[in-house]
Amino acid sequence: KLLEEAEEKGPESESAETSSSTRPALPPTFSLSEIKNKQRRQLMFMKLKQEKRKQKLELRKKRRKEREALGDKAPPKEVPKTIENQRVYDETTVDPEDEEVAYDEGTDEFSAYFNKLINPKVLITTSDRPRGRTVRFCEQLATVIPNAHVYYRRGLALKRVIPQCISRDFTYLMVINEDRKVPNGMILCHLPDGPTAHFKVSSVRLRKEMKRRGKDPTEHYPEVILNNFTTRLGHSIGRLFAALFPHDPQFQGRQVATFHNQRDFIFFRFHRYIFRNEKKVGIQELGPRFTLKLRSLQKGTFDSKFGEYEWVHKRHEMDSNRRKFHL
Amino acid sequence: MADKSQTCSVWLGSETGILKGVSLSKKRAFNFCDMSSVSRDQEICALTWGDRQESEVLVGCVNGSVKTFSTEKGVFTETRVCGDISQGRFTGIAVTDRSLITCVESGLLKVWTEGSADTVEINVGGEVCRMRQNPSQRHRVATGGKENPLKVWDLERPDKPIFTAKNVRVYDPSTPQRRPVLEAEFGEYPLTTLALPAGHDRVVVGNTHGQIAILDLRKGLVRGCMKGLAGSVRGLQCHPSSPLLASCGLDRFLRIHSLEDRSTVHKVYLKSRLNCVLLSSRDLELVGSDAAGEVEEVKEEERDEVWDSMETVSEKGEKRTVEEEAEESRETAEKKEEKKKRKKAKK
């Protein structure tokens, strides 16, 4: 069998080399998937791919020569289409000069924080009976967020926890939900009467799993970067994250927490930076990293049955278009 | 300003205290407010027409003041203080021939007559969620709320309610029985608003999750759902003549759906969270035509308490008032005695 295949490969490869685009005597409606023999089919397909690659390379070289020949008169480079480029324009995108939105944000539940009246105080807890990974994740989160305290859940109902937190002057309640020994959800509740956001957490990497990481974060207040929260809903969520951290970042600590929104996923990273000279920066990633996806935003404090929702993710209605994003 | 307000066919009240008018023919939204006094305690919680010709809008604010807005002139004409913030928010405003009826959460129902400083006061019980006026017999008012059963009051005899109900369902006060005729359930989340389309055999409900459904009243089945809302439905209003439904909610959009094929006809982004909607009764597409409607604020429901939102409708041909309610509540022993029921597993 092997000898036969070698003989077949022989004549085929020769004919392929002689004419780069024709196969040995095939009818025009032939397609590679009709060859029943798996090995021969795979071989033909591999050859087809190699030829296509060769053609593409030739085309690219030709275009580059033409571009260099034209010099200044060359047409501008075409920008490839990406999903972010093709994003459907969202009419709730916030205009920076909009008065009504500015007024709305100036008097909403976060106004106490943004008017520099209150400093944040965060309570981190989990769902009942957390496993090791979740516990370590909570501890690392507490080092990243200043003025955060981790408490063990002990089976308490959240509705009873919330009034106690309010009486002890907490401004945020963060509950990490665990499923199958891995954190998979987060409820972030702004305390006096503020909005509650429910996120799906994925891709959690703890500190020891980070490659080339730096030393542990210090107690300095980090800076906060919020990227790409453009719509009205995105603005609300961005403010929710911003109010987690104290106002005055200590630049001496050179630590920065980033919440980057892309395609409705929010990526959290924590870095330490150092400016080597004016143009070059070195960064080290410390701390945990995770991604969040917003599932719902509720207007009052956490109340799963009777609360009023400001935004709810409805999969069949909202996810039907690949180019429409809400944050 | 005046020409803008004359073209607006839908009026909405927002949480920031701004009265918004939307002109569907021009596809534009306008804000009407006096910029100097915009503040959160002026949050609009109730809207109603000031008169039958629909030339004035009465706006009830959280701080207890009722403002009158003239649609012809396009400005706020007067302000009246009808209570203060300690009594709770307005749950209903209505107008009879010469007087204004207001009801607040604490249960105080007041009738303010023009010209005289006296007010007739009735205490309807605590924790009132809604107050509605019977459109045909305008001196009758119905109130209801948490732990506060449905009561119908006649304002000329303010001492005692005409009819008191124990639980809330579809009621027919003209029949001798005091039993509800139909109970219908929808979804797992509390229903926030109700609206009655012109046909009298259907009711449209909205819940806190942003789901709007049309329920059939003969059997209590769900006829269909409207898509698109992402936030809690705060206001629903059906147009009296054409089959249109306006809805507004916490997701800051006003949507107009067609009742027949449940498609979205218009969608307008208004930048603040919306509390109530008022439609004018003329054809929405024409300039200057309006439909009257009112949707009011809603409260959340606790365990063992009764969810209540009501409207009164008068049927042609038969002089009856049917008060309808669709609700979500725990099963009680009384329910087992009712005729048509459907049990659903509750959380």
Side-chain angles (χ1 to χ4, degrees):
Chain A
K1 253 197 189 172
L2 287 170
L3 289 176
E4 286 171 14
E5 282 163 19
E7 283 171 18
E8 281 168 348
K9 277 185 208 172
E12 281 175 6
S13 57
E14 281 179 307
S15 60
E17 282 169 39
T18 49
S19 55
S20 58
S21 54
T22 53
R23 293 277 171 279
L26 298 171
T29 52
F30 174 78
S31 87
L32 279 182
S33 55
E34 286 171 22
I35 303 179
K36 297 299 178 187
N37 186 336
K38 188 171 181 176
Q39 287 192 332
R40 212 182 290 171
R41 188 173 64 232
Q42 284 179 346
L43 228 94
M44 302 286 268
F45 185 67
M46 212 163 59
K47 278 196 211 137
L48 177 75
K49 292 285 267 186
Q50 283 169 0
E51 279 189 23
K52 275 198 175 172
R53 217 179 293 156
K54 227 196 264 180
Q55 284 175 4
K56 192 173 171 188
L57 206 60
E58 285 173 13
L59 195 65
R60 226 197 266 175
K61 277 193 188 162
K62 200 174 74 172
R63 276 213 199 117
R64 203 203 282 177
K65 272 195 191 161
E66 283 173 12
R67 178 174 285 272
E68 280 171 15
L70 284 178
D72 280 336
K73 289 177 275 178
K77 271 197 175 177
E78 290 154 31
V79 179
K81 286 189 203 173
T82 62
I83 291 190
E84 284 86 13
N85 279 346
Q86 308 294 99
R87 178 176 175 176
V88 165
Y89 173 69
D90 197 338
E91 49 187 341
T92 60
T93 308
V94 176
D95 184 20
E97 290 135 33
D98 198 334
E99 285 179 350
E100 192 175 340
V101 174
Y103 169 69
D104 199 7
E105 294 193 338
T107 52
D108 70 354
E109 293 109 353
F110 294 109
S111 56
Y113 170 80
F114 283 101
N115 292 333
K116 311 219 171 173
L117 297 170
I118 299 183
N119 260 333
K121 189 173 171 196
V122 183
L123 177 75
I124 304 183
T125 182
T126 63
S127 53
D128 208 17
R129 311 208 65 195
R131 312 295 292 179
R133 210 175 151 83
T134 313
V135 170
R136 274 175 279 147
F137 179 54
C138 289
E139 285 166 20
Q140 293 182 7
L141 267 183
T143 56
V144 161
I145 303 175
N147 209 1
H149 306 269
V150 181
Y151 281 86
Y152 185 50
R153 179 77 178 270
R154 281 170 133 258
L156 298 169
L158 277 182
K159 279 203 200 167
R160 290 207 194 118
V161 169
I162 286 177
Q164 290 188 16
C165 288
I166 297 179
S167 61
R168 279 163 221 211
D169 276 339
F170 278 97
T171 57
Y172 263 101
L173 173 68
M174 190 190 288
V175 183
I176 309 282
N177 191 53
E178 184 197 0
D179 184 47
R180 291 203 179 179
K181 307 179 192 168
V182 134
N184 75 340
M186 172 182 342
I187 295 175
L188 194 55
C189 185
H190 183 77
L191 270 183
D193 47 347
T196 308
H198 177 38
F199 296 98
K200 181 166 76 161
V201 171
S202 47
S203 236
V204 174
R205 301 280 174 261
L206 299 176
R207 230 169 247 153
K208 64 178 186 176
E209 295 157 13
M210 304 285 218
K211 295 187 179 171
R212 293 182 285 273
R213 68 178 162 102
K215 292 187 184 164
D216 284 340
T218 57
E219 297 288 324
H220 295 102
Y221 294 165
E223 298 166 50
V224 180
I225 295 182
L226 299 165
N227 269 342
N228 206 15
F229 288 94
T230 50
T231 65
R232 185 71 186 83
L233 179 69
H235 253 241
S236 312
I237 301 289
R239 299 179 100 227
L240 197 77
F241 288 131
L244 266 177
F245 293 90
H247 284 290
D248 31 355
Q250 294 169 327
F251 296 102
Q252 212 179 9
R254 287 182 282 121
Q255 287 172 144
V256 59
T258 310
F259 291 89
H260 176 89
N261 172 37
Q262 188 161 340
R263 299 195 198 177
D264 281 355
F265 283 92
I266 301 169
F267 300 93
F268 173 82
R269 301 286 183 268
F270 194 74
H271 295 278
R272 182 179 284 140
Y273 60 89
I274 179 165
F275 280 99
R276 299 189 208 284
N277 55 28
E278 277 196 17
K279 294 196 182 173
K280 278 196 182 178
V281 193
I283 51 174
Q284 276 180 343
E285 185 162 5
L286 344 158
R289 69 154 79 151
F290 51 93
T291 53
L292 297 170
K293 186 162 188 201
L294 181 67
R295 278 171 71 172
S296 68
L297 180 63
Q298 219 179 54
K299 191 169 167 234
T301 54
F302 178 71
D303 191 345
S304 59
K305 275 191 238 175
F306 303 114
E308 288 196 310
Y309 287 90
E310 206 179 305
W311 189 83
V312 170
H313 180 77
K314 295 189 178 170
R315 192 161 72 94
H316 293 286
E317 286 176 32
M318 296 178 184
D319 279 353
S320 55
N321 187 351
R322 297 190 72 172
R323 292 174 194 89
K324 183 161 175 47
F325 304 111
H326 307 278
L327 270 190
Chain B
M1 277 291 257
D3 53 342
K4 285 186 210 169
S5 64
Q6 279 168 9
T7 61
C8 288
S9 45
V10 186
W11 297 91
L12 296 114
S14 68
E15 281 195 358
T16 50
I18 302 177
L19 178 69
K20 291 175 187 271
V22 176
S23 157
L24 292 173
S25 48
K26 287 192 188 174
K27 307 218 179 207
R28 281 206 58 192
F30 302 104
N31 283 354
F32 298 101
C33 65
D34 26 339
M35 283 309 296
S36 54
S37 63
V38 160
S39 60
R40 283 271 158 159
D41 63 350
Q42 306 248 356
E43 182 183 330
I44 299 176
C45 39
L47 277 187
T48 183
W49 291 109
D51 54 358
R52 291 212 184 226
Q53 293 84 27
E54 296 170 358
S55 64
E56 286 188 342
V57 179
L58 291 180
V59 173
C61 306
V62 163
N63 62 0
S65 62
V66 175
K67 296 194 236 176
T68 315
F69 179 81
S70 155
T71 51
E72 275 140 34
K73 294 179 217 157
V75 288
F76 281 95
T77 47
E78 59 167 307
T79 308
R80 253 189 285 201
V81 176
C82 301
D84 50 60
I85 204 167
S86 62
Q87 293 173 351
R89 310 167 76 126
F90 282 114
T91 56
I93 305 187
V95 165
T96 57
D97 300 322
R98 284 179 39 205
S99 53
L100 169 72
I101 314 168
T102 60
C103 180
V104 291
E105 272 182 1
S106 59
L108 205 57
L109 177 84
K110 287 192 183 179
V111 180
W112 307 75
T113 40
E114 282 179 44
S116 68
D118 297 329
T119 60
V120 180
E121 290 183 7
I122 319 169
N123 196 333
V124 303
E127 303 243 31
V128 173
C129 286
R130 290 298 186 96
M131 178 204 68
R132 283 307 177 99
Q133 184 187 37
N134 186 341
S136 56
Q137 299 169 310
R138 290 176 87 95
H139 55 92
R140 291 202 179 181
V141 157
T143 60
K146 289 188 204 178
E147 298 273 352
N148 187 352
L150 168 66
K151 291 178 195 157
V152 177
W153 304 83
D154 190 340
L155 293 170
E156 288 158 12
R157 285 174 287 163
D159 303 317
K160 231 194 136 191
I162 306 174
F163 172 69
T164 310
K166 285 192 185 166
N167 246 328
V168 286
R169 300 289 186 279
V170 175
Y171 280 100
D172 187 6
S174 65
T175 58
Q177 311 175 298
R178 296 255 162 151
R179 290 281 171 77
V181 173
L182 174 69
E183 174 201 344
E185 290 180 8
F186 169 67
E188 316 164 326
Y189 297 96
L191 300 171
T192 54
T193 55
L194 249 204
L196 292 167
H200 300 309
D201 59 343
R202 291 178 296 174
V203 69
V204 186
V205 297
N207 69 1
T208 54
H209 227 61
Q211 294 162 338
I212 304 180
I214 310 178
L215 300 177
D216 190 52
L217 279 178
R218 280 171 283 189
K219 288 218 154 184
L221 296 172
V222 179
R223 276 269 190 87
C225 292
M226 314 282 198
K227 277 204 217 177
L229 254 83
S232 168
V233 182
R234 281 280 177 97
L236 267 190
Q237 185 69 45
C238 282
H239 194 277
S241 42
S242 58
L244 293 176
L245 172 76
S247 60
C248 72
L250 289 181
D251 61 346
R252 304 180 170 92
F253 272 95
L254 163 72
R255 280 163 223 262
I256 311 251
H257 297 265
S258 151
L259 278 173
E260 287 154 14
D261 55 354
R262 301 198 295 272
S263 60
T264 309
V265 177
H266 289 104
K267 188 169 94 159
V268 184
Y269 175 58
L270 303 158
K271 297 166 199 145
S272 318
R273 294 183 208 140
L274 306 163
N275 268 342
C276 29
V277 89
L278 193 63
L279 285 179
S280 67
S281 39
R282 282 169 282 170
D283 193 7
L284 288 177
E285 297 291 322
L286 297 177
V287 168
S289 33
D290 319 270
E294 190 174 301
V295 184
E296 298 177 22
E297 265 229 286
V298 162
K299 266 288 183 176
E300 290 149 346
E301 181 184 17
E302 304 277 341
R303 278 176 173 253
D304 303 328
E305 279 169 328
V306 163
W307 187 262
D308 194 319
S309 59
M310 341 174 293
E311 277 176 307
T312 53
V313 165
S314 54
E315 290 183 54
K316 298 176 196 170
E318 299 171 279
K319 289 184 185 168
R320 276 171 27 167
T321 39
V322 178
E323 282 156 348
E324 307 177 358
E325 291 143 23
E327 62 140 47
E328 186 111 11
S329 65
R330 308 267 163 237
E331 311 257 25
T332 59
E334 288 173 33
K335 282 196 199 179
K336 292 175 190 166
E337 299 167 12
E338 289 160 6
K339 286 183 184 174
K340 289 184 190 175
K341 253 192 334 183
R342 196 177 297 147
K343 281 189 184 179
K344 251 191 196 183
K346 295 260 182 187
K347 279 184 198 172

